Amino acid sequence: MNSINVSMSKKLKVKMPGRNIMIPIAVILMILILVVTFLPKKAYAENLQRGNKTVTSVQIESGNTLWSIAKEYYTEDCGSFNSYVEEIKRANGLDSDEIHAGCYLIVPYYEGI
């Protein structure tokens, strides 16, 4: 009997339809993971340098001005001195710099670290 030798050595290439898009998606995911991982730490470190912002209540004494009280609590963490005075005015609902002895002011300030 004659034997017939049939060779089936063709290689089949299977193409994965989404392979070309998987690499860019993986790169984007890695970038997002890095951004999410490192941004909060930077923001947290900036907050540590400032100290904690808090408020106190101050009774206005005769001779006090809004500016003299602001000077007692002002630090560079507050920004400019003028903006700090404006912040005190906003916290107390003041339209002017006029204050009266015996009244109380809410004064925001930064606690030391």
Side-chain angles (χ1 to χ4, degrees), residues 59-70 72 97 99-103 105:
Q59 185 173 19
I60 303 167
E61 297 176 1
S62 180
N64 283 147
T65 66
L66 185 60
W67 293 79
S68 67
I69 293 171
E72 290 180 41
D97 293 351
I99 57 174
H100 303 281
C103 295
L105 281 178

Side-chain angles (χ1 to χ4, degrees), residues 4 13 15 21 24 30 33-34 39 41 55 61-62 65-66 76 80-81 83-86 88 90 100 106 108 113:
I4 300 175
K13 281 192 175 183
K15 289 188 177 183
I21 198 157
M30 289 178 70
I33 290 170
L34 290 173
L39 279 183
K41 290 181 183 178
V55 295
E61 297 176 1
S62 180
T65 66
L66 185 60
E76 289 184 11
S80 75
F81 186 76
S83 67
Y84 181 58
V85 171
E86 291 300 316
I88 294 172
R90 277 192 309 276
H100 303 281
I106 296 170
I113 300 175

Side-chain angles (χ1 to χ4, degrees), residues 1-16:
M1 282 194 143
N2 287 342
S3 74
I4 300 175
N5 205 357
V6 178
S7 173
M8 299 189 96
S9 63
K10 284 188 177 181
K11 291 186 179 179
L12 296 176
K13 281 192 175 183
V14 178
K15 289 188 177 183
M16 297 179 70

